[in-house]
């Protein structure tokens, strides 16, 4: 395929990727956005194959590995539950970073295969691009692995800090910059490998001090890193599709991270620099006091909601774990038949990744016009008869507004406590992902419904 024709098709795929992002910005058009993204990627892969020309015997190997990797990816995507989607995303980000590292290594060891020059005499621009791609890719890989371990529960979600941590991060970052400069002068393989290994270490050190409450932002940030790594390698390979795709992913991920940081009242630079200047979040956790709580059952909840004029549903990670979204939709339908006005309140970081709750509700065919973001619905709680909190915890905790020592202090939360009655579905009084007790449990207007979210909601449907 000629270079001009390849450029045209890469441009078409780039336009499809832009349309994909446009579609994914709204639940109503998200499915269409996915189709655009799939079409763009298919075109990119086909054009790349046709542009390479003569693979020789290597064509069979490339095809085999494509089939193996595609099959594994499809199998995982079909089998993965929605509750595990955040760690799956982190895992996929790590693979993107690792791929960038491998491509950079290949280009450095065999530059003539990529028309970049010869060993020891690589083009300066290409050397800079592959070094940056390798460094960002290595940071993305190791950082995503730590995020995966935290989200999976294999590693504690609490921040891991030590004295002089930020100074070490700063020194390692400066070391990477210096080594890339030195690499451009000497083209030494030892220097190149030093850049890669130091970058792996930086990825670990950047993510371990970030606590569970900020993990959704970390996922978005790592998404941005993976995009920039791909873009850097795209310049090395002179591949337009990689450059366009990487730039789109990198910039959109950075913008999303900024929006989420603003929504959580977090410093964007604190998060991307590994919690620079952040306090030890563990110190904010307080020993849970033995306070009285009001226990209720499904009949109590059904009575309160059936006699209410308005009910606001607040879904959270507990709903995702119990897969209660379909039962919740049945409960809402029953309430509507009784003339009750029902709406859904979604916090920006409900669940463990951006849009987690929106996807679950869409799966249950919840009408989009009934789902509202925090800014749109927060003032409605004061006039609400019943707030039904199903599995949400940190995003409803009033201490975010009152306790400066709390790790979630300053984070905007849903004003659930202002409702006339609060029905809180939870298995126990255990703390949320931020590791702190929820003061809402002990409020006079709160009725705790201790049960599995799906089972309790189904019992409420029967009572209704």
């Amino acid at each position: 395929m000629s270079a001009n024709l390849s450029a045209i098709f890469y441009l078409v795929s780039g336009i499809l990727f832009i349309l994909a992002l446009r579609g994914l910005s709204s639940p109503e058009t998200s499915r269409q956005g996915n189709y655009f993204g799939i079409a763009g990627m298919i075109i990119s892969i086909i054009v790349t194959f046709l542009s390479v020309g003569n693979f020789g015997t290597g064509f069979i190997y490339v095809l085999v590995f494509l089939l193996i990797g595609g099959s594994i990816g499809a199998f995982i995507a079909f089998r993965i539950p929605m509750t595990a989607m955040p760690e799956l995303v982190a895992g996929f980000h790590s693979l993107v970073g690792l791929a960038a590292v491998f491509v950079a290594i290949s280009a450095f060891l065999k530059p003539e295969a990529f028309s970049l020059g010869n060993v020891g005499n690589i083009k300066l621009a290409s050397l800079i691009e592959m070094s940056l791609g390798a460094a960002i890719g290595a940071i993305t890989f190791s950082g995503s692995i730590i995020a995966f371990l935290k989200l999976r529960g294999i590693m504690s979600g609490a921040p891991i800090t030590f004295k002089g941590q930020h100074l070490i991060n700063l020194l390692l970052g400066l070391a990477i910059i210096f080594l890339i400069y030195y690499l451009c002068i000497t083209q030494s393989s030892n220097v190149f490998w030093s850049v890669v290994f130091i970058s792996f270490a930086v990825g670990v050190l950047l993510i371990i001090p970030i606590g569970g409450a900020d993990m959704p932002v970390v996922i978005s940030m790592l998404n941005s890193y993976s995009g920039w790594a791909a873009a850097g390698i795209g310049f090395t390979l002179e591949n337009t599709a990689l450059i366009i795709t990487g730039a789109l992913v990198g910039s959109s991920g950075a913008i999303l991270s900024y929006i989420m940081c603003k929504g959580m009242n977090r410093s964007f630079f604190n998060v991307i620099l590994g919690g620079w200047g952040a306090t030890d979040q563990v110190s904010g956790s307080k020993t849970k006091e033995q306070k009285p709580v009001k226990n209720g059952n499904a009949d109590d909840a059904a009575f309160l909601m059936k006699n209410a004029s308005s009910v606001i549903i607040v879904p959270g990670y507990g709903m995702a774990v119990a897969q209660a979204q379909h039962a919740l939709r049945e409960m809402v339908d029953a309430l509507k038949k009784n003339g009750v006005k029902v709406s859904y309140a979604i916090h920006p970081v409900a669940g463990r990744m951006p849009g987690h709750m929106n996807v679950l509700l869409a799966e249950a065919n919840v009408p989009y016009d009934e789902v509202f973001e925090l800014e749109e619905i927060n003032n409605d709680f004061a006039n609400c008869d019943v707030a039904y909190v199903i599995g949400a915890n940190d995003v409803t905790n009033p201490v975010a507004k009152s306790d400066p020592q709390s790790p979630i202090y300053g984070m905007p939360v849903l004003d659930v406590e202002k409702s006339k009655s609060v029905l809180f579905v939870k298995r126990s009084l255990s703390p949320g992902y931020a590791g702190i007790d929820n003061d809402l449990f002990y409020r006079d207007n709160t009725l705790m419904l201790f049960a599995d979210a799906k089972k309790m909601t189904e019992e409420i449907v029967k009572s209704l």
Side-chain angles (χ1 to χ4, degrees):
M1 182 179 287
S2 67
N4 289 337
L5 196 57
S6 297
I8 292 173
F9 278 112
Y10 279 145
L11 180 61
V12 171
S13 67
I15 293 172
L16 288 171
F17 290 141
I18 292 172
L19 292 174
L21 281 177
R22 172 70 175 174
L24 292 170
S25 65
S26 170
E28 292 93 336
T29 58
S30 59
R31 191 181 298 272
Q32 186 183 53
N34 271 316
Y35 290 145
F36 281 133
I38 292 170
M41 186 54 66
I42 291 174
I43 292 173
S44 298
I45 293 173
I46 293 174
V47 173
T48 301
F49 260 95
L50 296 178
S51 299
V52 170
N54 182 22
F55 271 101
T57 56
F59 176 79
I60 300 299
Y61 293 107
V62 172
L63 193 60
V64 167
F65 284 120
L66 267 178
L67 291 174
I68 293 173
S71 300
I72 293 173
F75 177 77
I76 293 174
F78 275 115
R79 294 293 302 271
I80 199 76
M82 270 304 301
T83 50
M85 193 59 69
E87 50 258 48
L88 176 67
V89 172
F92 282 168
H93 288 164
S94 73
L95 296 179
V96 175
L98 190 60
V101 174
F102 283 157
V103 172
I105 292 172
S106 300
F108 183 78
L109 296 179
K110 294 287 185 180
E112 60 275 4
F114 300 91
S115 302
L116 304 178
N118 301 308
V119 176
N121 189 30
I122 301 173
K123 298 175 185 177
L124 178 61
S126 300
L127 198 59
I128 295 173
E129 292 156 4
M130 73 174 68
S131 300
L132 290 174
I136 299 173
I139 292 172
T140 303
F141 172 74
S142 55
S144 297
I145 293 297
I146 298 299
F148 173 86
L149 295 175
K150 286 196 172 195
L151 289 166
R152 195 68 180 171
I154 299 173
M155 178 184 288
S156 171
I160 300 174
T161 59
F162 54 85
K163 190 174 181 180
Q165 187 172 37
H166 298 312
L167 178 60
I168 292 174
N169 288 347
L170 177 62
L171 293 175
L172 290 177
L174 293 174
I176 291 173
I177 296 173
F178 172 76
L179 287 173
I180 291 176
Y181 169 76
Y182 192 60
L183 176 65
C184 294
I185 297 174
T186 64
Q187 301 208 10
S188 166
S189 60
N190 290 333
V191 176
F192 177 79
W193 289 112
S194 297
V195 170
V196 173
F197 288 124
I198 292 175
S199 299
F200 279 132
V202 169
V204 174
L205 294 173
L206 279 178
I207 304 304
I208 58 173
I210 300 177
D214 293 328
M215 200 50 63
V217 185
V218 172
I219 295 296
S220 178
M221 178 188 70
L222 290 170
N223 180 45
S224 178
Y225 286 176
S226 68
W228 296 125
I233 294 303
F235 279 107
T236 301
L237 302 180
E238 296 182 352
N239 186 294
T240 308
L242 262 180
I243 296 171
I244 294 174
T245 307
L248 286 173
V249 173
S251 57
S252 60
I255 292 170
L256 178 59
S257 299
Y258 175 77
I259 292 172
M260 294 182 69
C261 284
K262 189 176 180 181
M264 297 172 65
N265 197 32
R266 293 285 192 263
S267 167
F268 177 68
F269 290 103
N270 279 1
V271 175
I272 65 173
L273 294 176
W276 187 282
T279 57
D280 185 355
Q281 294 187 21
V282 178
S283 63
S285 302
K286 295 183 177 180
T287 303
K288 184 166 60 179
E289 300 175 17
Q290 294 298 323
K291 302 177 184 177
V293 295
K294 296 179 181 178
N295 293 342
N297 54 38
D299 292 331
D300 299 327
F303 177 80
L304 283 172
M305 286 194 281
K306 190 174 183 178
N307 290 282
S309 60
S310 64
V311 173
I312 298 179
I313 312 291
V314 182
Y317 187 67
M319 184 191 78
V321 173
Q323 289 291 288
Q325 61 269 27
H326 296 286
L328 184 64
R329 172 65 193 271
E330 290 182 36
M331 186 190 82
V332 170
D333 289 342
L335 289 173
K336 287 180 180 177
K337 289 179 181 178
N338 285 281
V340 180
K341 178 186 175 183
V342 183
S343 51
Y344 298 81
I346 308 295
H347 192 280
V349 294
R352 293 192 183 177
M353 65 180 291
H356 200 172
M357 295 300 105
N358 300 77
V359 173
L360 288 172
L361 294 178
E363 185 183 337
N365 296 316
V366 172
Y368 298 125
D369 58 359
E370 295 178 3
V371 181
F372 299 92
E373 300 295 331
L374 180 144
E375 296 83 1
E376 300 172 308
I377 201 171
N378 225 15
N379 292 331
D380 295 348
F381 283 105
N383 301 314
C384 170
D385 292 315
V386 178
Y388 186 74
V389 184
I390 177 167
N393 199 334
D394 297 326
V395 297
T396 63
N397 198 336
V399 300
K401 298 176 284 186
S402 59
D403 184 4
Q405 301 302 315
S406 170
I408 63 171
Y409 179 71
M411 181 180 85
V413 293
L414 293 163
D415 295 332
V416 175
E417 76 279 1
K418 294 182 180 179
S419 304
K420 293 178 183 177
S421 297
V422 178
L423 300 173
F424 208 121
V425 184
K426 205 172 183 296
R427 290 178 180 272
S428 67
L429 293 175
S430 60
Y433 201 60
I436 57 173
D437 201 18
N438 192 342
D439 188 55
L440 185 61
F441 298 160
Y442 314 106
R443 297 294 177 99
D444 293 335
N445 60 334
T446 299
L447 191 67
M448 297 299 299
L449 307 175
F450 294 111
D452 173 81
K454 182 179 181 181
K455 183 178 179 182
M456 173 57 69
T457 305
E458 289 174 341
E459 290 179 357
I460 291 173
V461 173
K462 293 178 182 177
S463 297
L464 286 171

